[in-house]
Amino acid sequence: MLRHLEQQNSGSAVTAIGVIGGGQLARMMAHAATTLGCRLIVLAERFDTSAAGVCELVVGDWRDPDTVVGFAAACDVVTFDHELVPPPVLDALEACSTRIFPSPAGMRRAADKQIQRTVASSVGLPVLAHRVVSDPAELERAVSELGLPVVAKRAGGGYDGRGLTWLRTRRDVAAFQAGGMTGEPVIIEPELDLTAELATTIARRRNGEHVLYPVVRTHQVDGICHTVTAPAMVARPIADTLHDALVAIAEALDHVGVLTIEAFLVDNQVYLNELAPRPHNSAHYTIDACTTSQFENHLRAILDLPLGDPTMIVPAAAMANVLGVHDGPTDLPSVDLPARTSVHLYGKHSRPGRKLGHVTVTGRDPAALERTARSVAERLAHTGRACPPALTEREQVIA
């Protein structure tokens, strides 16, 4: 594969942006890449990945170091669709001459929930009392010290409810000790009576230039985000605390690209939940509600271009995820859309709880917008049928 594609009639080189992983985040980077005049090339394991049909697709195992290094060598800059890339692959990427953002070292730190808590504490953001356990005896001590109920979180990997287990009774603890412990670190934290769950996003360049998106409120069910409202109706000191902490964390990690912090609000105190070193579900609303989306600013940051304005262009917005309710192939159903409503579907096969797309509604009243977005998302989920995305002639297979 050529390092550059020569633009027809211009003779100028087109920057090739590689993305490891072919999910919906890569799919939504594709429009931003087109806007910036770049090629987006995605490394995915399957032909029917979400990003297929909207960008160049290379099929190969992103868990294999040799495959990933070969892919990176054909790109000018490489970024990530997710943070599940295994350590051997990150080690191999560190030796590449291709620019990798976030850096492999930064991805290791930002994707580890144990390190996240250390970094957050170092910049003054409170973290919940917690224990890190790896065997049944350590879990027993943690439960004795923290009391029930608690939440068990895998230190590495896991999102959309995966890697989370609620331990509310002694029976839950015994079941987790018997089948949920693999020897890998698990973080045990108390389950809280939350005032709200909040999130905010930063885009940061190598020189430290950064922009901040508004603090938003998220509604989670069993660890899966259902809705987001922007901006969050919280006191200014709370928003300032989150923004200041996120800037400091991004600097401590020397992060390049987009970084999101999720936080718990208990009364008037915020606590770290977790970090995401990539574009994030809580900022999908920025596509329709902000001057510059998180996806364009992520690409601008990794390309070392001036960052775009993150300001909202509407008074308020609400986003609702379209979550699967059945198994099988999904097409766009016929659903009447209210005014100022946008639908973004991801070209995925459906299964219960899977994110198949999202709906964004803009206007003035966040609560009313959230109700509308949720209603449209539920109608889409219940009336849709599945079908895989079309393949393109540009797909390539790595042997």
Side-chain angles (χ1 to χ4, degrees):
M1 187 163 50
L2 296 177
R3 186 173 180 82
H4 292 287
L5 176 68
E6 296 300 317
Q7 290 182 324
Q8 188 174 8
N9 300 326
S10 71
S12 61
V14 176
T15 299
I17 303 171
V19 183
I20 296 173
Q24 65 262 27
L25 301 183
R27 182 186 182 96
M28 286 183 277
M29 288 182 207
H31 179 265
T34 300
T35 299
L36 295 172
C38 298
R39 297 169 64 201
L40 196 78
I41 312 170
V42 169
L43 175 64
E45 289 185 291
R46 300 164 54 92
F47 280 116
D48 59 353
T49 186
S50 177
V54 300
C55 58
E56 295 180 55
L57 183 67
V58 176
V59 177
D61 186 359
W62 50 262
R63 297 176 182 85
D64 175 63
D66 290 338
T67 297
V68 174
V69 168
F71 172 75
C75 302
D76 296 298
V77 62
V78 170
T79 191
F80 302 88
D81 170 82
H82 56 73
E83 60 268 42
L84 305 181
V85 179
V89 172
L90 294 175
D91 291 342
L93 285 173
E94 278 190 313
C96 287
S97 59
T98 303
R99 293 170 291 160
I100 314 290
F101 297 116
S103 70
M107 283 293 289
R108 280 194 205 88
R109 299 177 68 198
D112 187 311
K113 295 181 180 64
Q114 191 173 349
I115 295 175
Q116 290 175 13
R117 281 149 181 75
T118 300
V119 174
S121 295
S122 73
V123 303
L125 181 68
V127 300
L128 297 173
H130 65 279
R131 304 291 185 272
V132 181
V133 306
S134 57
D135 61 46
E138 290 178 344
L139 175 60
E140 193 65 40
R141 287 195 295 272
V143 169
S144 176
E145 292 167 1
L146 297 175
L148 293 176
V150 295
V151 182
K153 302 178 178 181
R154 301 288 179 196
Y159 51 85
D160 288 350
R162 295 186 291 272
L164 295 177
T165 306
W166 280 263
L167 308 179
R168 297 186 172 106
T169 67
R170 290 300 315 179
R171 180 176 295 180
D172 294 337
V173 174
F176 192 71
Q177 287 173 316
M181 308 201 74
T182 63
E184 298 178 355
V186 177
I187 295 170
I188 306 298
E189 291 180 340
E191 184 177 4
L192 301 175
D193 184 11
L194 302 177
T195 304
E197 294 189 63
L198 305 174
T200 189
T201 297
I202 188 173
R204 183 178 184 273
R205 292 174 65 188
R206 290 158 59 185
N207 64 4
E209 177 196 351
H210 63 269
V211 295
L212 289 160
Y213 286 93
V215 174
V216 301
R217 182 167 183 162
T218 68
H219 176 65
Q220 313 274 338
V221 179
D222 295 331
I224 299 176
C225 179
H226 280 227
T227 61
V228 174
T229 55
M233 306 305 289
V234 295
R236 181 63 179 271
I238 292 172
D240 288 346
T241 294
L242 274 180
H243 277 152
D244 292 346
L246 184 54
V247 171
I249 289 170
E251 291 177 351
L253 295 172
D254 195 22
H255 185 82
V256 175
V258 158
L259 176 70
T260 291
I261 186 171
E262 295 181 89
F264 299 129
L265 178 64
V266 181
D267 297 325
N268 289 314
Q269 180 65 64
V270 290
Y271 298 90
L272 173 75
N273 177 9
E274 63 182 64
L275 301 174
R278 50 163 172 80
H280 192 258
N281 191 200
S282 67
H284 287 354
Y285 76 95
T286 63
I287 298 172
D288 300 295
C290 293
T291 303
T292 311
S293 76
Q294 66 161 338
F295 297 99
E296 180 173 339
N297 264 336
H298 180 68
L299 297 189
R300 284 181 169 275
I302 68 172
L303 294 169
D304 206 24
L305 297 174
L307 299 175
D309 181 1
T311 303
M312 291 185 68
I313 57 176
V314 291
M319 187 280 298
N321 284 313
V322 180
L323 301 174
V325 294
H326 64 271
D327 287 304
T330 298
D331 61 5
L332 177 63
S334 178
V335 173
D336 291 332
L337 299 179
R340 299 182 300 278
T341 299
S342 298
V343 174
H344 303 260
L345 296 183
Y346 304 153
K348 290 181 172 182
H349 277 62
S350 176
R351 62 172 178 261
R354 191 183 196 191
K355 291 176 181 173
L356 304 180
H358 72 268
V359 175
T360 303
V361 187
T362 61
R364 293 190 173 278
D365 181 350
L369 297 176
E370 182 180 20
R371 289 192 296 271
T372 300
R374 188 192 298 268
S375 174
V376 173
E378 289 176 351
R379 280 186 284 145
L380 286 167
H382 283 86
T383 59
R385 297 177 300 108
C387 60
L391 305 183
T392 73
E393 295 180 358
R394 294 177 295 176
E395 287 166 347
Q396 304 168 62
V397 178
I398 294 180

